[in-house]
Amino acid sequence: MLVLTRKANQSIMIGDEIEVSVLSVLGEKVRLGIQAPRDVPVFRKEVFLEIQAQNLEAAESSKDALDQALGMMGEGDETR
């Protein structure tokens, strides 16, 4: 992990297109501004983790449904 010290109104660049700016520091709270291309998703970590969990759950339920459908097709093949 890279650790940098920045003050209010200072920025860091990530690659050529993403700029993270410190907008203000109030006690233990830091306000950040992020400029990134529209095709780069930017999420708070807790939101990102929730999206990942939901995607995993959806993928697992889709796999279960596919396995069930394939199982039903296999049963039909046995009767021929």
Side-chain angles (χ1 to χ4, degrees):
M1 173 188 300
L2 173 64
V3 178
L4 300 171
T5 301
R6 300 277 76 197
K7 296 178 182 178
N9 300 316
Q10 293 181 332
S11 300
I12 63 167
M13 294 297 297
I14 300 173
D16 293 332
E17 299 181 324
I18 300 172
E19 180 178 4
V20 180
S21 302
V22 178
L23 301 178
S24 65
V25 180
L26 300 170
E28 291 189 16
K29 291 188 177 184
V30 177
R31 292 184 64 216
L32 300 174
I34 301 167
Q35 283 190 309
R38 290 201 179 273
D39 63 331
V40 175
V42 178
F43 299 103
R44 295 188 327 258
K45 185 172 182 178
E46 61 273 17
V47 172
F48 175 77
L49 293 175
E50 181 62 29
I51 291 169
Q52 281 188 320
Q54 289 178 2
N55 288 344
L56 182 60
E57 184 179 323
E60 287 174 352
S61 71
S62 293
K63 181 185 178 301
D64 292 344
L66 180 59
D67 288 345
Q68 184 179 9
L70 290 174
M72 292 171 67
M73 287 177 62
E75 290 173 11
D77 291 342
E78 292 175 2
T79 59
R80 290 185 195 179

